[in-house]
Amino acid sequence: MINLFKITSFISVLIFLSNCKKDDSDTLTVSKETIEIESDGGKAYFELQTSAASWTIEYHAVWLSLSKSSGTENDAIIWIEVDTRALEDRADTLIINAGSASPTSVVVKQRKSQSLLFEVDKKSITVGAVKSSDSIVVTSDYPDWTSSVDNDWASINPSSGKAGETLVIVKVDDNYGTSDRTAKIELTADNTQKINITITQKAGYQKYNTDPIAPDATGMGSTATELANRIGLGWNIGNTLEAIGGENAWGNPNITEAYIKAVKQLGFNAIRLPCSWDQYADQSTARISQTWLNRVKEVVGYCVNNDIYVLLNVHWDGGWLENNCTTESKFAVNAKQRAYWEQIATSMRDFDEHLMFASANEPNAENATQMGVLLSYHQTFINAVRSTGGRNTYRVLVLQGSSEYITADAFPTDPATNRLMYEEHNYTPYQFTLMTEDASWGKMFYYWGEGHHSAIEPDRNPTWGEESEQDSYFQRIKKDFVDKGIPVIMGEYGAYRRTTPADLTTHNDAVDYWITYVTRKAVESGVKPFFWDTGGTIDRNTNTVTDQRTVDAIIAGTK
């Protein structure tokens, strides 16, 4: 007998289960089954709708990206972005899963681009005669590119690259030829695309480093710091070897060994020799007169033979370097800088570490661009000196700053280790130290420092640049250089007496005070002071002191 109750119950269960399955089944739809992206890249979207609690999207292509690949929204807009050009037709399938719904897919296609990038930011480079570098930027859509250079005096690094932007450094060797020369860089991508870049290198002067010798460390064992620690007080023989017109043109007699000894006897164990070279050189060849090289070498010998450290520089010298820290002058100045220092360094090569070289004097670099040019002059100086070999391989070299002073991190590259010093000058405030007549922008200061202002002539008291200014200056120098292991030379400093102040006693006391204060601050900061004298303190004819107060003020600064 059929049990109708059981049959009815079984059918009810089947209907219930059937209804449950229908009600619980997730839905999933997309607004587009195929999406095509522009061949040069772009964005597109599709809409995703589902009744599931969450969804995910799987894909494999690295050339596309999604605004999101998972979510909980029942209605979502998915953005697809491609930011690269297609080298060939390409496609990828997005697989979308949502709960129990059947997976669905969206095909993303991109056709081959007809405008693939393979370019450089410049197709010609002009460089100076001195060994240097420049750069180009290679932008490529191709996966790989390679290069070749048709002359061995030029090279690039890296010589190959991948898709994207690549910074390439172009290096050139010294050109000692009498005419410009060219080289060609060829870049190749995908075996078909080619770019030619022309390098033009300016002609230089002939090579004056004609007999470089092997490094010689004899008598050259001190680092820059060790050498600086042996320098006490320094003295400038100003307005003499740098005088335009000859050694005596600015009123001083020839430097004698007796004068050098007199300076040493006063307590100075270092001498700075401001020197001119350009007026003694053939301007078509940059060859310096051998007679002048011999004369300078003779004076250096006076110093070294008397155990005096000597700093030999390229001084103002008509301004060929100092007034031309510009991109327009960079090539010509570097060529001359190299030619002169190859000759100077070769001529003075046999002196031991008592002799130091200085690249310049007071270069006019007032912004970052000009400072970059000045740094190239310093780099040329270092390269030229080191290239001559012998003791110059280890000689201490001195680099100059300016109003846009060099930072220790930006120093040029030196193949020698710990053989560089830094130089600045100190005439603050100018209206007190050097100004010789009133100007529309301000008057001369006759007085300076605490306790040395005048009640008789208050309009000649300083309005800036007193002790706090000096304190800040030396704190900066110490922090930025000395504390980082780079010795500093205060290559020039000084304040000078006038006869015009109404309160002459206070004026002279103020000059003494400035000299002592600045000397003391320099010594305390580890800075080596070189007083600037043009013959007003020591009579160079008789080698006798004519301004004992100045000498005493300098010495007092060391105590």
Side-chain angles (χ1 to χ4, degrees):
M1 180 175 177
I2 299 173
N3 189 330
L4 293 176
F5 175 77
K6 287 185 177 180
I7 293 173
T8 303
S9 297
F10 179 71
I11 292 172
S12 297
V13 169
L14 289 176
I15 293 170
F16 174 77
L17 291 175
S18 176
N19 288 338
C20 286
K21 181 177 181 182
K22 181 178 180 181
D23 292 342
D24 289 346
S25 178
D26 293 326
T27 61
L28 173 62
T29 60
V30 292
S31 61
K32 301 174 184 177
E33 295 182 352
T34 302
I35 292 176
E36 186 156 336
I37 301 291
E38 294 289 337
S39 60
D40 288 339
K43 297 176 72 174
Y45 72 92
F46 67 91
E47 188 175 357
L48 176 158
Q49 291 182 325
T50 181
S51 62
S54 63
W55 51 267
T56 60
I57 303 176
E58 297 177 6
Y59 66 102
H60 301 94
V62 297
W63 46 271
L64 62 80
S65 61
L66 302 184
S67 58
K68 60 190 313 182
S69 58
S70 63
T72 58
E73 307 98 313
N74 298 121
D75 191 346
I77 294 178
I78 311 300
W79 281 94
I80 303 167
E81 182 172 8
V82 178
D83 60 6
T84 58
R85 295 171 175 82
L87 301 179
E88 301 292 343
D89 291 348
R90 56 188 179 182
D92 193 34
T93 301
L94 311 182
I95 305 298
I96 306 160
N97 294 284
S100 61
S102 298
T104 190
S105 63
V106 175
V107 177
V108 180
K109 297 180 179 181
Q110 187 182 23
R111 293 188 179 279
K112 178 181 179 180
S113 174
Q114 301 303 310
S115 59
L116 292 176
L117 276 182
F118 185 52
E119 61 186 22
V120 291
D121 62 336
K122 47 192 171 187
K123 291 188 176 181
S124 64
I125 295 174
T126 300
V127 292
V130 175
K131 180 179 180 180
S132 60
S133 63
D134 205 326
S135 64
I136 58 175
V137 176
V138 180
T139 303
S140 176
D141 286 328
Y142 295 92
D144 298 284
W145 58 265
T146 59
S147 70
S148 62
V149 185
D150 67 355
N151 273 287
D152 59 6
W153 54 265
S155 63
I156 70 170
N157 185 38
S159 58
S160 61
K162 301 289 186 181
E165 285 191 356
T166 305
L167 178 66
V168 176
I169 304 302
V170 180
K171 293 185 177 181
V172 297
D173 294 332
D174 286 314
N175 181 13
Y176 288 103
T178 57
S179 60
D180 296 353
R181 61 184 180 181
T182 60
K184 185 176 72 174
I185 300 171
E186 185 176 85
L187 304 180
T188 304
D190 198 37
N191 297 319
T192 58
Q193 300 291 324
K194 290 185 179 180
I195 298 175
N196 290 324
I197 303 167
T198 301
I199 305 172
T200 301
Q201 187 176 28
K202 295 293 186 181
Y205 298 103
Q206 68 184 76
K207 188 173 185 178
Y208 287 106
N209 180 27
T210 55
D211 62 342
I213 61 176
D216 181 1
T218 307
M220 306 299 292
S222 300
T223 64
T225 299
E226 291 167 341
L227 195 64
N229 289 339
R230 291 199 285 276
I231 294 175
L233 289 173
W235 188 262
N236 276 274
I237 307 180
N239 287 11
T240 310
L241 295 184
E242 85 278 28
I244 302 302
E247 188 172 353
N248 313 128
W250 291 351
N252 282 305
N254 282 4
I255 300 170
T256 64
E257 188 168 11
Y259 173 76
I260 300 296
K261 291 180 177 179
V263 171
K264 182 179 180 180
Q265 190 172 7
L266 290 173
F268 299 88
N269 76 333
I271 284 178
R272 180 171 177 263
L273 287 177
C275 197
S276 170
W277 305 96
D278 198 59
Q279 65 176 318
Y280 300 102
D282 183 323
Q283 293 302 302
S284 63
T285 64
R287 180 178 293 278
I288 301 171
S289 159
Q290 190 60 49
T291 300
W292 183 244
L293 285 166
N294 292 341
R295 171 56 183 158
V296 176
K297 187 174 182 179
E298 180 180 42
V299 175
V300 171
Y302 295 158
C303 299
V304 175
N305 294 339
N306 285 280
D307 192 25
I308 291 177
Y309 296 96
V310 57
L311 178 60
L312 178 65
N313 76 352
V314 169
H315 209 67
W316 176 70
D317 207 9
W320 66 268
L321 183 153
E322 296 196 5
N323 291 345
N324 290 288
C325 297
T326 64
T327 53
E328 296 80 10
S329 302
K330 180 179 178 179
F331 296 158
V333 172
N334 266 315
K336 186 174 281 190
Q337 176 85 324
R338 180 185 67 185
Y340 286 171
W341 276 109
E342 284 182 350
Q343 295 172 78
I344 299 166
T346 299
S347 178
M348 313 291 167
R349 185 168 52 195
D350 293 338
F351 287 111
D352 68 10
E353 66 184 17
H354 279 81
L355 173 62
M356 300 170 285
F357 294 143
S359 175
N361 173 51
E362 293 178 350
N364 296 316
E366 299 177 352
N367 55 52
T369 298
Q370 292 176 349
M371 180 53 69
V373 174
L374 173 59
L375 286 171
S376 78
Y377 299 163
H378 289 331
Q379 186 67 69
T380 296
F381 159 69
I382 292 171
N383 293 347
V385 173
R386 298 296 183 224
S387 71
T388 61
R391 289 173 168 173
N392 288 337
T393 306
Y394 309 99
R395 192 170 307 285
V396 168
L397 306 179
V398 183
L399 309 179
Q400 293 63 44
S402 66
S403 57
E404 181 82 12
Y405 74 94
I406 302 172
T407 63
D409 296 337
F411 260 40
T413 302
D414 184 9
T417 303
N418 298 325
R419 291 300 199 278
L420 296 179
M421 292 187 186
Y422 178 66
E423 178 183 353
E424 283 192 12
H425 298 170
N426 188 341
Y427 291 111
T428 301
Y430 167 78
Q431 287 155 275
F432 177 72
T433 59
L434 291 177
M435 193 172 180
T436 57
E437 60 181 15
D438 293 340
S440 59
W441 53 266
K443 291 183 176 182
M444 292 182 286
F445 300 158
Y446 291 160
Y447 313 100
W448 186 90
E450 185 178 357
H452 299 283
H453 287 198
S454 174
I456 297 173
E457 209 170 10
D459 63 325
R460 296 294 182 176
N461 290 329
T463 57
W464 72 284
E466 295 193 89
E467 289 96 336
S468 62
E469 187 95 10
Q470 291 290 350
D471 294 348
S472 297
Y473 171 77
F474 284 108
Q475 287 170 8
R476 177 197 39 105
I477 289 291
K478 184 175 186 301
K479 174 178 175 289
D480 289 351
F481 296 97
V482 178
D483 290 348
K484 294 181 179 180
I486 299 175
V488 176
I489 286 178
M490 188 163 66
E492 292 182 18
Y493 78 111
Y496 306 94
R497 305 180 197 282
R498 302 181 179 93
T499 59
T500 52
D503 192 348
L504 198 57
T505 298
T506 302
H507 166 71
N508 282 321
D509 289 346
V511 171
D512 294 342
Y513 178 65
W514 188 97
I515 294 171
T516 299
Y517 191 91
V518 174
T519 304
R520 179 175 292 120
K521 283 294 177 180
V523 172
E524 290 174 353
S525 303
V527 175
K528 303 302 168 180
F530 282 68
F531 188 80
W532 177 258
D533 180 71
T534 59
T537 306
I538 303 174
D539 187 317
R540 297 184 187 176
N541 292 294
T542 63
N543 301 325
T544 58
V545 176
T546 54
D547 185 353
Q548 189 64 49
R549 290 184 65 159
T550 289
V551 174
D552 292 344
I554 297 171
I555 301 299
T558 67
K559 298 177 180 178

